Amino acid sequence: MKRVWSANNFTLTGLSMILAVIIGAVLIIISDATVLAKFSYFTARPGDALDASWVLVSTAYADLLKGALGDPEVFSAWFAGDATWQQAFAPISETLTYAAPLVFTGLSVALAFRGGLFNIGAQGQAVLGCIAAGVAGFTFGLPIVLNLLVAVVAGILGGALWGFIPGLLKARTGAHEVITTIMLNYTAGLFLAWLVIQQGIQAPGRSDAISKAVAESAQLPSPGGVLRVHLGIILAVLTTAGVAWLLNKSAFGFEIRAVGANPHAAKTAGISVAKTYVLLMAFAGGLAGFGGATQVLGTAHALTPSVAGNIGFDGLLVALLGRNRPWGTLFAAVLFGALRAGGNRMQSFSGISLELVTVLQALIVIFIAAPALVKAIFRLRAARATGLGASLAKG
């Protein structure tokens, strides 16, 4: 119990999520006028307010779980032959669909953080990945496997180029990567908005900002029907394993960790810090571009000004929640995907605003970023006293 109830990363993350759920429950209650009205006579009949609060919160969170993991009633109907397996696994499909691009952008941010760089430009890199993959997807008309491969590689190269630029500026001029990547985010978004209305890119016969549809041969394979999950989630798991190997087993990964820990000592040891910065940002940009490619090839199937959504900015939160570790980032992305998928059902069935899910995400990140607050609330022991490390990744 001493080991469990200590200020290690696992305990802090779990308790941060519990605190976010509790505060979210309070917000659900105070945002419902009917329940709030029962508190006006709380001293006379406290049971009315407490019962109504419990029903509201439990129903909302139950819908959140059903929308993310599945509805037990649908599973029962499937076993009884009254529903299909696709209907039973549709919620999990939505969770994985939302999580897939977040894994790539989260890995992009986490990898740069491990090298001591703040890659705030994952959004712009993902947008370039969307553009390159989308254009390649409806332009070349290659055979089925080759067309998909070319589109994915194009997305990775597009993101790598957008990451290479701030890396080169950092190495050659010392320009801070936060400033340059933020500026490139705006540049990428404006370029996409301009591109989709250009002749040859815009869908024929359309006056709105939308491109031609990606060819079926370039789309990521999916079961179809109500299941939107696609090959991107498998690629995300394989990429996570690859990044974990890169960081922990390869010579370049050692250079990344050395430069991130102390660039001056790394330079003294013979490591080219400038070269590491350039390669690191290009690699991180390629990961974010991979995420953009999975977004347009797996879900959107066409370019629009909002095709990338906020996957780059959400990647920042995913990397922070995952403690900048590859596998932690993967699980954090699945959590965010579950909150998004479950939030859609919670809004439809319980009438709770989808923005509350964003509040839950923000609360989780706030408590993750303030471990001293969590330790003080739960009076946790110091991790060193129980033999557990609690050092956070750089960044």
Side-chain angles (χ1 to χ4, degrees):
M1 287 303 298
K2 288 182 179 180
R3 287 182 177 272
V4 173
W5 203 252
S6 60
N8 59 78
N9 288 341
F10 180 80
T11 303
L12 287 173
T13 301
L15 293 178
S16 297
M17 294 172 60
I18 292 174
L19 283 173
V21 169
I22 293 173
I23 297 178
V26 174
L27 295 176
I28 291 175
I29 293 172
I30 64 177
S31 63
D32 190 283
T34 303
V35 175
L36 201 59
K38 297 182 183 298
F39 279 90
S40 61
Y41 56 91
F42 181 81
T43 55
R45 296 178 60 182
D48 289 357
L50 296 178
D51 290 343
S53 299
W54 169 252
V55 170
L56 177 64
V57 172
S58 61
T59 302
Y61 281 143
D63 286 329
L64 183 67
L65 292 176
K66 291 177 183 178
L69 302 177
D71 190 341
E73 295 182 359
V74 179
F75 276 97
S76 299
W78 172 39
F79 295 145
D82 297 328
T84 63
W85 67 272
Q86 291 93 337
Q87 292 173 319
F89 287 98
I92 299 178
S93 169
E94 289 299 299
T95 294
L96 297 179
T97 300
Y98 287 124
L102 297 183
V103 175
F104 295 103
T105 55
L107 288 173
S108 172
V109 176
L111 184 65
F113 277 170
R114 294 295 294 274
L117 297 178
F118 294 87
N119 181 24
I120 314 299
Q123 179 67 25
Q125 294 151 16
V127 169
L128 259 293
C130 286
I131 293 174
V135 171
F138 62 70
T139 299
F140 298 115
L142 300 172
I144 182 168
V145 176
L146 187 58
N147 205 18
L148 174 60
L149 181 62
V150 168
V152 170
V153 172
I156 294 174
L157 293 178
L161 172 63
W162 222 240
F164 171 80
I165 296 173
L168 182 64
L169 292 174
K170 173 77 172 181
R172 292 295 182 88
T173 68
H176 203 289
E177 68 278 6
V178 171
I179 302 300
T180 55
T181 52
I182 288 177
M183 293 173 65
L184 287 174
N185 282 343
Y186 285 104
T187 304
L190 293 172
F191 175 63
L192 174 60
W194 170 84
L195 183 68
V196 293
I197 58 174
Q198 300 306 305
Q199 185 177 3
I201 301 295
Q202 188 177 22
R206 298 287 295 268
S207 60
D208 53 336
I210 186 171
S211 74
K212 300 176 182 177
V214 172
E216 290 188 11
S217 59
Q219 296 177 12
L220 290 169
S222 171
V226 296
L227 300 181
R228 296 200 306 152
V229 65
H230 48 74
L231 182 63
I233 189 62
I234 298 177
L235 296 177
V237 175
L238 295 176
T239 302
T240 302
V243 172
W245 177 87
L246 174 72
L247 278 174
N248 300 318
K249 302 294 183 180
S250 69
F252 181 55
F254 173 78
E255 293 179 356
I256 291 175
R257 290 184 285 115
V259 171
N262 192 324
H264 301 292
K267 184 177 182 180
T268 303
I271 298 175
S272 175
V273 177
K275 178 182 177 182
T276 302
Y277 281 158
V278 174
L279 293 178
L280 175 58
M281 284 301 297
F283 199 91
L287 287 172
F290 202 168
T294 60
Q295 181 79 351
V296 69
L297 301 178
T299 305
H301 300 154
L303 294 175
T304 63
S306 59
V307 63
N310 289 318
I311 60 173
F313 297 124
D314 288 343
L316 288 166
L317 305 181
V318 167
L320 179 59
L321 183 57
R323 302 291 186 181
N324 298 324
R325 308 295 184 189
W327 292 109
T329 300
L330 173 67
F331 292 125
V334 173
L335 173 62
F336 271 52
L339 289 174
R340 176 64 186 276
N344 291 333
R345 178 185 173 102
M346 187 172 66
Q347 183 179 39
S348 300
F349 286 74
S350 301
I352 306 298
S353 174
L354 186 60
E355 280 70 25
L356 180 66
V357 175
T358 305
V359 174
L360 285 176
Q361 293 175 345
L363 289 171
I364 293 173
V365 173
I366 287 173
F367 289 122
I368 290 287
L373 177 61
V374 179
K375 287 189 287 186
I377 293 174
F378 291 97
R379 303 179 64 85
L380 299 178
R381 288 174 172 267
R384 290 183 178 179
T386 59
L388 297 175
S391 60
L392 299 179
K394 183 173 179 64

